[in-house]
Amino acid sequence: MIKMKYKFGFIGCGNMGGALCSAVASKETEAKICVCDGIKEKADALAEKYGNISVVELSELVNEAEYIFLGVKPQSLPGLFETIKDGLSARKNLVIVSMAAGKSISDIEALCGFEPAIIRIMPNTPVSVGKGVILYTANGKTGAEALNGFLEALSGAGTLCRIDESKIDAAGAVSGCGPAFVYMFIEALADGAVLCGIPRNDALLYAAATIEGAAKLAIESSEHPEKLKDNVCSPGGTTIAGVKVLEEAGFRAAAINAVEAAYEKTLKLK
């Protein structure tokens, strides 16, 4: 790719856009990064935190960034592209990275009015601490060099998983929405501990650290989660008594239904 003034440009730096920008800025310390946001204070805060981020006007970002990350709401994309599509079409080399839920690569191509290299991603908020999951897929215009540059820049954000686009919405209902469900579980476990007399701050730490450790064991162990659960459940013990209560309350079905509901809502965004 022809070298531009900026290697990465972020349009929108809210919760997700800002988290990805932070991940790239931390990893690609020598790369020049630019950001723009309707709320300038958000962009300024990122620029103050990292030495390789510049706050620019939208037109400069569109004209001068190799990778253009779209960090705006799906419903805002048509208006955004009305503003930037002429600038994009004048470019000979660019990669658009879209994180808009429910918007396919073909949707982005239609908004562009031509077919640039496009990488569609579904990240989650833990990318901000280097423990995220980023699902990604790319169109045929995205060459190996462009894709490798994207993967290298985001390698510090967590786990990157290439997935067929037909599956990205379903998988995103787990990885993208799942953190919210996990935070609810952490809070609920902590509430239980508080009910039993543990101070709130300690209860939150115990709950969150326990889930972190359990997740790490689930990833690194060759055991099925059911077996890992059984390993904790002694006959007639305390854990199996708690498991029985969760089963009676429909814990598994509630989790399954939450993922399904998130997926169905994503489909309505199309």
Side-chain angles (χ1 to χ4, degrees):
M1 296 177 65
I2 301 172
K3 189 171 183 178
M4 306 296 291
K5 182 177 180 180
Y6 302 103
K7 187 170 183 181
F8 303 100
F10 289 82
I11 301 176
C13 45
N15 290 338
M16 189 57 67
L20 286 172
C21 182
S22 295
V24 173
S26 298
K27 173 71 176 179
E28 298 281 313
T29 55
E30 300 301 318
K32 291 186 176 180
I33 301 167
C34 62
V35 297
C36 67
D37 193 280
I39 303 175
K40 190 172 181 295
E41 289 78 10
K42 291 183 178 180
D44 288 339
L46 279 172
E48 289 175 10
K49 186 175 182 180
Y50 300 97
N52 55 344
I53 295 178
S54 300
V55 179
V56 300
E57 296 296 326
L58 180 59
S59 58
E60 182 177 358
L61 188 152
V62 169
N63 291 333
E64 297 291 349
E66 292 180 20
Y67 292 81
I68 298 177
F69 285 74
L70 306 178
V72 301
K73 299 292 186 184
Q75 60 269 27
S76 299
L77 283 179
L80 173 64
F81 272 93
E82 281 299 315
T83 302
I84 69 174
K85 65 180 182 181
D86 288 343
L88 294 176
S89 64
R91 296 282 304 277
K92 298 298 183 183
N93 63 304
L94 77 157
V95 180
I96 293 176
V97 183
S98 173
M99 62 189 85
K103 298 302 179 183
S104 67
I105 287 175
S106 60
D107 291 333
I108 303 301
E109 290 172 344
L111 288 169
C112 285
F114 68 108
E115 295 184 13
I118 297 174
I119 302 172
R120 181 185 173 190
I121 65 174
M122 181 58 64
N124 63 11
T125 53
V127 299
S128 62
V129 293
K131 295 294 183 180
V133 173
I134 301 176
L135 308 174
Y136 72 95
T137 187
N139 66 356
K141 296 288 186 178
T142 307
E145 181 183 356
L147 190 59
N148 288 338
F150 160 80
L151 293 173
E152 175 61 25
L154 288 170
S155 61
T159 301
L160 290 103
C161 304
R162 189 161 193 170
I163 188 170
D164 187 273
E165 189 172 22
S166 65
K167 303 295 185 184
I168 197 169
D169 290 326
V174 178
S175 64
C177 304
F181 309 152
V182 173
Y183 300 142
M184 292 176 69
F185 187 41
I186 291 172
E187 184 181 26
L189 287 177
D191 283 346
V194 171
L195 182 64
C196 295
I198 302 299
R200 170 66 63 183
N201 288 343
D202 291 342
L204 287 169
L205 173 62
Y206 302 157
T210 295
I211 288 177
E212 179 185 31
K216 185 175 179 62
L217 183 59
I219 291 171
E220 297 184 1
S221 171
S222 59
E223 301 284 2
H224 189 279
E226 181 181 24
K227 179 62 166 59
L228 295 174
K229 180 265 294 179
D230 288 347
N231 289 344
V232 189
C233 294
S234 302
T238 57
T239 305
I240 194 63
V243 168
K244 177 176 178 290
V245 172
L246 289 175
E247 292 287 15
E248 289 173 344
F251 177 74
R252 292 174 193 253
I256 292 168
N257 292 340
V259 173
E260 183 182 38
Y263 174 55
E264 290 177 349
K265 179 65 174 181
T266 300
L267 296 180
K268 292 178 182 178
L269 297 175
K270 294 184 180 296

mmCIF file with all atom_site columns, all heavy atoms in Angstrom, residues 169-195:
data_model
loop_
_atom_site.group_PDB
_atom_site.id
_atom_site.type_symbol
_atom_site.label_atom_id
_atom_site.label_alt_id
_atom_site.label_comp_id
_atom_site.label_asym_id
_atom_site.label_entity_id
_atom_site.label_seq_id
_atom_site.pdbx_PDB_ins_code
_atom_site.Cartn_x
_atom_site.Cartn_y
_atom_site.Cartn_z
_atom_site.occupancy
_atom_site.B_iso_or_equiv
_atom_site.pdbx_formal_charge
_atom_site.auth_seq_id
_atom_site.auth_comp_id
_atom_site.auth_asym_id
_atom_site.auth_atom_id
_atom_site.pdbx_PDB_model_num
ATOM 1   N N   . ASP A 1 169 ? -22.893 -12.632 12.916 1.00 0.00 ? 169 ASP A N   1
ATOM 2   C CA  . ASP A 1 169 ? -23.921 -12.073 13.794 1.00 0.00 ? 169 ASP A CA  1
ATOM 3   C C   . ASP A 1 169 ? -24.243 -13.026 14.939 1.00 0.00 ? 169 ASP A C   1
ATOM 4   O O   . ASP A 1 169 ? -24.428 -12.601 16.086 1.00 0.00 ? 169 ASP A O   1
ATOM 5   C CB  . ASP A 1 169 ? -25.186 -11.762 12.999 1.00 0.00 ? 169 ASP A CB  1
ATOM 6   C CG  . ASP A 1 169 ? -25.008 -10.588 12.051 1.00 0.00 ? 169 ASP A CG  1
ATOM 7   O OD1 . ASP A 1 169 ? -24.264 -9.649  12.409 1.00 0.00 ? 169 ASP A OD1 1
ATOM 8   O OD2 . ASP A 1 169 ? -25.599 -10.603 10.958 1.00 0.00 ? 169 ASP A OD2 1
ATOM 9   N N   . ALA A 1 170 ? -24.321 -14.320 14.638 1.00 0.00 ? 170 ALA A N   1
ATOM 10  C CA  . ALA A 1 170 ? -24.600 -15.309 15.681 1.00 0.00 ? 170 ALA A CA  1
ATOM 11  C C   . ALA A 1 170 ? -23.456 -15.378 16.687 1.00 0.00 ? 170 ALA A C   1
ATOM 12  O O   . ALA A 1 170 ? -23.678 -15.386 17.904 1.00 0.00 ? 170 ALA A O   1
ATOM 13  C CB  . ALA A 1 170 ? -24.846 -16.678 15.055 1.00 0.00 ? 170 ALA A CB  1
ATOM 14  N N   . ALA A 1 171 ? -22.224 -15.406 16.189 1.00 0.00 ? 171 ALA A N   1
ATOM 15  C CA  . ALA A 1 171 ? -21.070 -15.453 17.085 1.00 0.00 ? 171 ALA A CA  1
ATOM 16  C C   . ALA A 1 171 ? -20.958 -14.168 17.901 1.00 0.00 ? 171 ALA A C   1
ATOM 17  O O   . ALA A 1 171 ? -20.582 -14.184 19.082 1.00 0.00 ? 171 ALA A O   1
ATOM 18  C CB  . ALA A 1 171 ? -19.793 -15.687 16.288 1.00 0.00 ? 171 ALA A CB  1
ATOM 19  N N   . GLY A 1 172 ? -21.305 -13.051 17.287 1.00 0.00 ? 172 GLY A N   1
ATOM 20  C CA  . GLY A 1 172 ? -21.254 -11.775 17.983 1.00 0.00 ? 172 GLY A CA  1
ATOM 21  C C   . GLY A 1 172 ? -22.255 -11.666 19.113 1.00 0.00 ? 172 GLY A C   1
ATOM 22  O O   . GLY A 1 172 ? -22.049 -10.905 20.073 1.00 0.00 ? 172 GLY A O   1
ATOM 23  N N   . ALA A 1 173 ? -23.345 -12.431 19.026 1.00 0.00 ? 173 ALA A N   1
ATOM 24  C CA  . ALA A 1 173 ? -24.318 -12.445 20.118 1.00 0.00 ? 173 ALA A CA  1
ATOM 25  C C   . ALA A 1 173 ? -23.708 -13.037 21.378 1.00 0.00 ? 173 ALA A C   1
ATOM 26  O O   . ALA A 1 173 ? -24.153 -12.735 22.489 1.00 0.00 ? 173 ALA A O   1
ATOM 27  C CB  . ALA A 1 173 ? -25.557 -13.237 19.706 1.00 0.00 ? 173 ALA A CB  1
ATOM 28  N N   . VAL A 1 174 ? -22.678 -13.871 21.203 1.00 0.00 ? 174 VAL A N   1
ATOM 29  C CA  . VAL A 1 174 ? -21.948 -14.428 22.354 1.00 0.00 ? 174 VAL A CA  1
ATOM 30  C C   . VAL A 1 174 ? -20.811 -13.496 22.763 1.00 0.00 ? 174 VAL A C   1
ATOM 31  O O   . VAL A 1 174 ? -20.754 -13.009 23.896 1.00 0.00 ? 174 VAL A O   1
ATOM 32  C CB  . VAL A 1 174 ? -21.383 -15.832 22.034 1.00 0.00 ? 174 VAL A CB  1
ATOM 33  C CG1 . VAL A 1 174 ? -20.595 -16.358 23.225 1.00 0.00 ? 174 VAL A CG1 1
ATOM 34  C CG2 . VAL A 1 174 ? -22.503 -16.788 21.678 1.00 0.00 ? 174 VAL A CG2 1
ATOM 35  N N   . SER A 1 175 ? -19.893 -13.229 21.826 1.00 0.00 ? 175 SER A N   1
ATOM 36  C CA  . SER A 1 175 ? -18.694 -12.466 22.192 1.00 0.00 ? 175 SER A CA  1
ATOM 37  C C   . SER A 1 175 ? -18.961 -10.981 22.367 1.00 0.00 ? 175 SER A C   1
ATOM 38  O O   . SER A 1 175 ? -18.395 -10.339 23.258 1.00 0.00 ? 175 SER A O   1
ATOM 39  C CB  . SER A 1 175 ? -17.603 -12.678 21.133 1.00 0.00 ? 175 SER A CB  1
ATOM 40  O OG  . SER A 1 175 ? -18.020 -12.159 19.868 1.00 0.00 ? 175 SER A OG  1
ATOM 41  N N   . GLY A 1 176 ? -19.828 -10.417 21.538 1.00 0.00 ? 176 GLY A N   1
ATOM 42  C CA  . GLY A 1 176 ? -20.083 -8.990  21.617 1.00 0.00 ? 176 GLY A CA  1
ATOM 43  C C   . GLY A 1 176 ? -21.008 -8.610  22.760 1.00 0.00 ? 176 GLY A C   1
ATOM 44  O O   . GLY A 1 176 ? -20.786 -7.631  23.465 1.00 0.00 ? 176 GLY A O   1
ATOM 45  N N   . CYS A 1 177 ? -22.079 -9.397  22.932 1.00 0.00 ? 177 CYS A N   1
ATOM 46  C CA  . CYS A 1 177 ? -23.059 -9.113  23.983 1.00 0.00 ? 177 CYS A CA  1
ATOM 47  C C   . CYS A 1 177 ? -22.719 -9.808  25.289 1.00 0.00 ? 177 CYS A C   1
ATOM 48  O O   . CYS A 1 177 ? -23.132 -9.357  26.368 1.00 0.00 ? 177 CYS A O   1
ATOM 49  C CB  . CYS A 1 177 ? -24.450 -9.556  23.530 1.00 0.00 ? 177 CYS A CB  1
ATOM 50  S SG  . CYS A 1 177 ? -24.995 -8.823  21.972 1.00 0.00 ? 177 CYS A SG  1
ATOM 51  N N   . GLY A 1 178 ? -21.980 -10.900 25.205 1.00 0.00 ? 178 GLY A N   1
ATOM 52  C CA  . GLY A 1 178 ? -21.680 -11.718 26.376 1.00 0.00 ? 178 GLY A CA  1
ATOM 53  C C   . GLY A 1 178 ? -21.074 -10.986 27.554 1.00 0.00 ? 178 GLY A C   1
ATOM 54  O O   . GLY A 1 178 ? -21.419 -11.284 28.708 1.00 0.00 ? 178 GLY A O   1
ATOM 55  N N   . PRO A 1 179 ? -20.159 -10.014 27.328 1.00 0.00 ? 179 PRO A N   1
ATOM 56  C CA  . PRO A 1 179 ? -19.609 -9.312  28.492 1.00 0.00 ? 179 PRO A CA  1
ATOM 57  C C   . PRO A 1 179 ? -20.675 -8.706  29.396 1.00 0.00 ? 179 PRO A C   1
ATOM 58  O O   . PRO A 1 179 ? -20.542 -8.737  30.620 1.00 0.00 ? 179 PRO A O   1
ATOM 59  C CB  . PRO A 1 179 ? -18.721 -8.237  27.855 1.00 0.00 ? 179 PRO A CB  1
ATOM 60  C CG  . PRO A 1 179 ? -18.235 -8.880  26.599 1.00 0.00 ? 179 PRO A CG  1
ATOM 61  C CD  . PRO A 1 179 ? -19.427 -9.640  26.084 1.00 0.00 ? 179 PRO A CD  1
ATOM 62  N N   . ALA A 1 180 ? -21.750 -8.170  28.815 1.00 0.00 ? 180 ALA A N   1
ATOM 63  C CA  . ALA A 1 180 ? -22.816 -7.601  29.644 1.00 0.00 ? 180 ALA A CA  1
ATOM 64  C C   . ALA A 1 180 ? -23.457 -8.679  30.506 1.00 0.00 ? 180 ALA A C   1
ATOM 65  O O   . ALA A 1 180 ? -23.764 -8.449  31.688 1.00 0.00 ? 180 ALA A O   1
ATOM 66  C CB  . ALA A 1 180 ? -23.873 -6.936  28.764 1.00 0.00 ? 180 ALA A CB  1
ATOM 67  N N   . PHE A 1 181 ? -23.650 -9.868  29.919 1.00 0.00 ? 181 PHE A N   1
ATOM 68  C CA  . PHE A 1 181 ? -24.247 -10.965 30.683 1.00 0.00 ? 181 PHE A CA  1
ATOM 69  C C   . PHE A 1 181 ? -23.302 -11.394 31.809 1.00 0.00 ? 181 PHE A C   1
ATOM 70  O O   . PHE A 1 181 ? -23.736 -11.701 32.926 1.00 0.00 ? 181 PHE A O   1
ATOM 71  C CB  . PHE A 1 181 ? -24.552 -12.156 29.773 1.00 0.00 ? 181 PHE A CB  1
ATOM 72  C CG  . PHE A 1 181 ? -25.333 -11.813 28.521 1.00 0.00 ? 181 PHE A CG  1
ATOM 73  C CD1 . PHE A 1 181 ? -25.195 -12.583 27.370 1.00 0.00 ? 181 PHE A CD1 1
ATOM 74  C CD2 . PHE A 1 181 ? -26.204 -10.735 28.484 1.00 0.00 ? 181 PHE A CD2 1
ATOM 75  C CE1 . PHE A 1 181 ? -25.907 -12.282 26.222 1.00 0.00 ? 181 PHE A CE1 1
ATOM 76  C CE2 . PHE A 1 181 ? -26.916 -10.421 27.335 1.00 0.00 ? 181 PHE A CE2 1
ATOM 77  C CZ  . PHE A 1 181 ? -26.766 -11.194 26.196 1.00 0.00 ? 181 PHE A CZ  1
ATOM 78  N N   . VAL A 1 182 ? -22.006 -11.412 31.513 1.00 0.00 ? 182 VAL A N   1
ATOM 79  C CA  . VAL A 1 182 ? -21.018 -11.810 32.524 1.00 0.00 ? 182 VAL A CA  1
ATOM 80  C C   . VAL A 1 182 ? -20.965 -10.789 33.652 1.00 0.00 ? 182 VAL A C   1
ATOM 81  O O   . VAL A 1 182 ? -20.869 -11.154 34.831 1.00 0.00 ? 182 VAL A O   1
ATOM 82  C CB  . VAL A 1 182 ? -19.626 -11.993 31.879 1.00 0.00 ? 182 VAL A CB  1
ATOM 83  C CG1 . VAL A 1 182 ? -18.560 -12.231 32.949 1.00 0.00 ? 182 VAL A CG1 1
ATOM 84  C CG2 . VAL A 1 182 ? -19.650 -13.164 30.898 1.00 0.00 ? 182 VAL A CG2 1
ATOM 85  N N   . TYR A 1 183 ? -21.051 -9.496  33.308 1.00 0.00 ? 183 TYR A N   1
ATOM 86  C CA  . TYR A 1 183 ? -21.024 -8.480  34.352 1.00 0.00 ? 183 TYR A CA  1
ATOM 87  C C   . TYR A 1 183 ? -22.234 -8.618  35.276 1.00 0.00 ? 183 TYR A C   1
ATOM 88  O O   . TYR A 1 183 ? -22.125 -8.398  36.496 1.00 0.00 ? 183 TYR A O   1
ATOM 89  C CB  . TYR A 1 183 ? -20.998 -7.072  33.745 1.00 0.00 ? 183 TYR A CB  1
ATOM 90  C CG  . TYR A 1 183 ? -19.800 -6.814  32.856 1.00 0.00 ? 183 TYR A CG  1
ATOM 91  C CD1 . TYR A 1 183 ? -19.909 -6.062  31.686 1.00 0.00 ? 183 TYR A CD1 1
ATOM 92  C CD2 . TYR A 1 183 ? -18.542 -7.337  33.177 1.00 0.00 ? 183 TYR A CD2 1
ATOM 93  C CE1 . TYR A 1 183 ? -18.816 -5.833  30.872 1.00 0.00 ? 183 TYR A CE1 1
ATOM 94  C CE2 . TYR A 1 183 ? -17.454 -7.100  32.364 1.00 0.00 ? 183 TYR A CE2 1
ATOM 95  C CZ  . TYR A 1 183 ? -17.589 -6.364  31.209 1.00 0.00 ? 183 TYR A CZ  1
ATOM 96  O OH  . TYR A 1 183 ? -16.509 -6.147  30.399 1.00 0.00 ? 183 TYR A OH  1
ATOM 97  N N   . MET A 1 184 ? -23.381 -8.983  34.702 1.00 0.00 ? 184 MET A N   1
ATOM 98  C CA  . MET A 1 184 ? -24.561 -9.222  35.531 1.00 0.00 ? 184 MET A CA  1
ATOM 99  C C   . MET A 1 184 ? -24.325 -10.396 36.476 1.00 0.00 ? 184 MET A C   1
ATOM 100 O O   . MET A 1 184 ? -24.729 -10.359 37.647 1.00 0.00 ? 184 MET A O   1
ATOM 101 C CB  . MET A 1 184 ? -25.769 -9.500  34.635 1.00 0.00 ? 184 MET A CB  1
ATOM 102 C CG  . MET A 1 184 ? -26.240 -8.307  33.816 1.00 0.00 ? 184 MET A CG  1
ATOM 103 S SD  . MET A 1 184 ? -27.589 -8.729  32.682 1.00 0.00 ? 184 MET A SD  1
ATOM 104 C CE  . MET A 1 184 ? -28.908 -9.028  33.867 1.00 0.00 ? 184 MET A CE  1
ATOM 105 N N   . PHE A 1 185 ? -23.643 -11.433 35.972 1.00 0.00 ? 185 PHE A N   1
ATOM 106 C CA  . PHE A 1 185 ? -23.350 -12.602 36.800 1.00 0.00 ? 185 PHE A CA  1
ATOM 107 C C   . PHE A 1 185 ? -22.375 -12.240 37.923 1.00 0.00 ? 185 PHE A C   1
ATOM 108 O O   . PHE A 1 185 ? -22.539 -12.663 39.079 1.00 0.00 ? 185 PHE A O   1
ATOM 109 C CB  . PHE A 1 185 ? -22.800 -13.725 35.922 1.00 0.00 ? 185 PHE A CB  1
ATOM 110 C CG  . PHE A 1 185 ? -22.605 -15.037 36.639 1.00 0.00 ? 185 PHE A CG  1
ATOM 111 C CD1 . PHE A 1 185 ? -23.543 -15.501 37.544 1.00 0.00 ? 185 PHE A CD1 1
ATOM 112 C CD2 . PHE A 1 185 ? -21.489 -15.807 36.400 1.00 0.00 ? 185 PHE A CD2 1
ATOM 113 C CE1 . PHE A 1 185 ? -23.369 -16.720 38.203 1.00 0.00 ? 185 PHE A CE1 1
ATOM 114 C CE2 . PHE A 1 185 ? -21.300 -17.021 37.047 1.00 0.00 ? 185 PHE A CE2 1
ATOM 115 C CZ  . PHE A 1 185 ? -22.241 -17.477 37.959 1.00 0.00 ? 185 PHE A CZ  1
ATOM 116 N N   . ILE A 1 186 ? -21.355 -11.443 37.590 1.00 0.00 ? 186 ILE A N   1
ATOM 117 C CA  . ILE A 1 186 ? -20.407 -10.981 38.617 1.00 0.00 ? 186 ILE A CA  1
ATOM 118 C C   . ILE A 1 186 ? -21.148 -10.223 39.717 1.00 0.00 ? 186 ILE A C   1
ATOM 119 O O   . ILE A 1 186 ? -20.940 -10.462 40.915 1.00 0.00 ? 186 ILE A O   1
ATOM 120 C CB  . ILE A 1 186 ? -19.325 -10.091 37.989 1.00 0.00 ? 186 ILE A CB  1
ATOM 121 C CG1 . ILE A 1 186 ? -18.394 -10.921 37.093 1.00 0.00 ? 186 ILE A CG1 1
ATOM 122 C CG2 . ILE A 1 186 ? -18.509 -9.367  39.066 1.00 0.00 ? 186 ILE A CG2 1
ATOM 123 C CD1 . ILE A 1 186 ? -17.411 -10.082 36.290 1.00 0.00 ? 186 ILE A CD1 1
ATOM 124 N N   . GLU A 1 187 ? -22.013 -9.313  39.291 1.00 0.00 ? 187 GLU A N   1
ATOM 125 C CA  . GLU A 1 187 ? -22.750 -8.519  40.273 1.00 0.00 ? 187 GLU A CA  1
ATOM 126 C C   . GLU A 1 187 ? -23.639 -9.420  41.134 1.00 0.00 ? 187 GLU A C   1
ATOM 127 O O   . GLU A 1 187 ? -23.748 -9.232  42.356 1.00 0.00 ? 187 GLU A O   1
ATOM 128 C CB  . GLU A 1 187 ? -23.598 -7.464  39.565 1.00 0.00 ? 187 GLU A CB  1
ATOM 129 C CG  . GLU A 1 187 ? -24.325 -6.536  40.526 1.00 0.00 ? 187 GLU A CG  1
ATOM 130 C CD  . GLU A 1 187 ? -25.184 -5.514  39.817 1.00 0.00 ? 187 GLU A CD  1
ATOM 131 O OE1 . GLU A 1 187 ? -25.623 -5.782  38.677 1.00 0.00 ? 187 GLU A OE1 1
ATOM 132 O OE2 . GLU A 1 187 ? -25.430 -4.452  40.410 1.00 0.00 ? 187 GLU A OE2 1
ATOM 133 N N   . ALA A 1 188 ? -24.290 -10.405 40.497 1.00 0.00 ? 188 ALA A N   1
ATOM 134 C CA  . ALA A 1 188 ? -25.171 -11.304 41.238 1.00 0.00 ? 188 ALA A CA  1
ATOM 135 C C   . ALA A 1 188 ? -24.390 -12.153 42.238 1.00 0.00 ? 188 ALA A C   1
ATOM 136 O O   . ALA A 1 188 ? -24.830 -12.339 43.387 1.00 0.00 ? 188 ALA A O   1
ATOM 137 C CB  . ALA A 1 188 ? -25.932 -12.198 40.263 1.00 0.00 ? 188 ALA A CB  1
ATOM 138 N N   . LEU A 1 189 ? -23.223 -12.682 41.810 1.00 0.00 ? 189 LEU A N   1
ATOM 139 C CA  . LEU A 1 189 ? -22.392 -13.447 42.744 1.00 0.00 ? 189 LEU A CA  1
ATOM 140 C C   . LEU A 1 189 ? -21.961 -12.575 43.915 1.00 0.00 ? 189 LEU A C   1
ATOM 141 O O   . LEU A 1 189 ? -21.975 -13.016 45.076 1.00 0.00 ? 189 LEU A O   1
ATOM 142 C CB  . LEU A 1 189 ? -21.161 -13.991 42.022 1.00 0.00 ? 189 LEU A CB  1
ATOM 143 C CG  . LEU A 1 189 ? -21.355 -15.152 41.039 1.00 0.00 ? 189 LEU A CG  1
ATOM 144 C CD1 . LEU A 1 189 ? -20.026 -15.497 40.375 1.00 0.00 ? 189 LEU A CD1 1
ATOM 145 C CD2 . LEU A 1 189 ? -21.929 -16.380 41.745 1.00 0.00 ? 189 LEU A CD2 1
ATOM 146 N N   . ALA A 1 190 ? -21.581 -11.350 43.609 1.00 0.00 ? 190 ALA A N   1
ATOM 147 C CA  . ALA A 1 190 ? -21.158 -10.436 44.676 1.00 0.00 ? 190 ALA A CA  1
ATOM 148 C C   . ALA A 1 190 ? -22.319 -10.123 45.618 1.00 0.00 ? 190 ALA A C   1
ATOM 149 O O   . ALA A 1 190 ? -22.143 -10.056 46.846 1.00 0.00 ? 190 ALA A O   1
ATOM 150 C CB  . ALA A 1 190 ? -20.603 -9.149  44.079 1.00 0.00 ? 190 ALA A CB  1
ATOM 151 N N   . ASP A 1 191 ? -23.518 -9.938  45.060 1.00 0.00 ? 191 ASP A N   1
ATOM 152 C CA  . ASP A 1 191 ? -24.687 -9.704  45.916 1.00 0.00 ? 191 ASP A CA  1
ATOM 153 C C   . ASP A 1 191 ? -24.899 -10.871 46.866 1.00 0.00 ? 191 ASP A C   1
ATOM 154 O O   . ASP A 1 191 ? -25.234 -10.679 48.051 1.00 0.00 ? 191 ASP A O   1
ATOM 155 C CB  . ASP A 1 191 ? -25.941 -9.513  45.055 1.00 0.00 ? 191 ASP A CB  1
ATOM 156 C CG  . ASP A 1 191 ? -26.020 -8.143  44.411 1.00 0.00 ? 191 ASP A CG  1
ATOM 157 O OD1 . ASP A 1 191 ? -25.262 -7.240  44.816 1.00 0.00 ? 191 ASP A OD1 1
ATOM 158 O OD2 . ASP A 1 191 ? -26.838 -7.971  43.486 1.00 0.00 ? 191 ASP A OD2 1
ATOM 159 N N   . GLY A 1 192 ? -24.716 -12.089 46.342 1.00 0.00 ? 192 GLY A N   1
ATOM 160 C CA  . GLY A 1 192 ? -24.852 -13.258 47.201 1.00 0.00 ? 192 GLY A CA  1
ATOM 161 C C   . GLY A 1 192 ? -23.844 -13.256 48.332 1.00 0.00 ? 192 GLY A C   1
ATOM 162 O O   . GLY A 1 192 ? -24.171 -13.587 49.483 1.00 0.00 ? 192 GLY A O   1
ATOM 163 N N   . ALA A 1 193 ? -22.615 -12.866 48.015 1.00 0.00 ? 193 ALA A N   1
ATOM 164 C CA  . ALA A 1 193 ? -21.579 -12.802 49.043 1.00 0.00 ? 193 ALA A CA  1
ATOM 165 C C   . ALA A 1 193 ? -21.887 -11.730 50.079 1.00 0.00 ? 193 ALA A C   1
ATOM 166 O O   . ALA A 1 193 ? -21.698 -11.932 51.292 1.00 0.00 ? 193 ALA A O   1
ATOM 167 C CB  . ALA A 1 193 ? -20.214 -12.539 48.404 1.00 0.00 ? 193 ALA A CB  1
ATOM 168 N N   . VAL A 1 194 ? -22.398 -10.577 49.609 1.00 0.00 ? 194 VAL A N   1
ATOM 169 C CA  . VAL A 1 194 ? -22.782 -9.505  50.537 1.00 0.00 ? 194 VAL A CA  1
ATOM 170 C C   . VAL A 1 194 ? -23.896 -9.986  51.461 1.00 0.00 ? 194 VAL A C   1
ATOM 171 O O   . VAL A 1 194 ? -23.892 -9.716  52.671 1.00 0.00 ? 194 VAL A O   1
ATOM 172 C CB  . VAL A 1 194 ? -23.220 -8.244  49.760 1.00 0.00 ? 194 VAL A CB  1
ATOM 173 C CG1 . VAL A 1 194 ? -23.828 -7.208  50.707 1.00 0.00 ? 194 VAL A CG1 1
ATOM 174 C CG2 . VAL A 1 194 ? -22.024 -7.636  49.020 1.00 0.00 ? 194 VAL A CG2 1
ATOM 175 N N   . LEU A 1 195 ? -24.852 -10.727 50.898 1.00 0.00 ? 195 LEU A N   1
ATOM 176 C CA  . LEU A 1 195 ? -25.941 -11.283 51.701 1.00 0.00 ? 195 LEU A CA  1
ATOM 177 C C   . LEU A 1 195 ? -25.403 -12.185 52.807 1.00 0.00 ? 195 LEU A C   1
ATOM 178 O O   . LEU A 1 195 ? -25.976 -12.254 53.900 1.00 0.00 ? 195 LEU A O   1
ATOM 179 C CB  . LEU A 1 195 ? -26.893 -12.067 50.792 1.00 0.00 ? 195 LEU A CB  1
ATOM 180 C CG  . LEU A 1 195 ? -28.125 -12.694 51.443 1.00 0.00 ? 195 LEU A CG  1
ATOM 181 C CD1 . LEU A 1 195 ? -29.052 -11.608 52.002 1.00 0.00 ? 195 LEU A CD1 1
ATOM 182 C CD2 . LEU A 1 195 ? -28.874 -13.565 50.446 1.00 0.00 ? 195 LEU A CD2 1
#
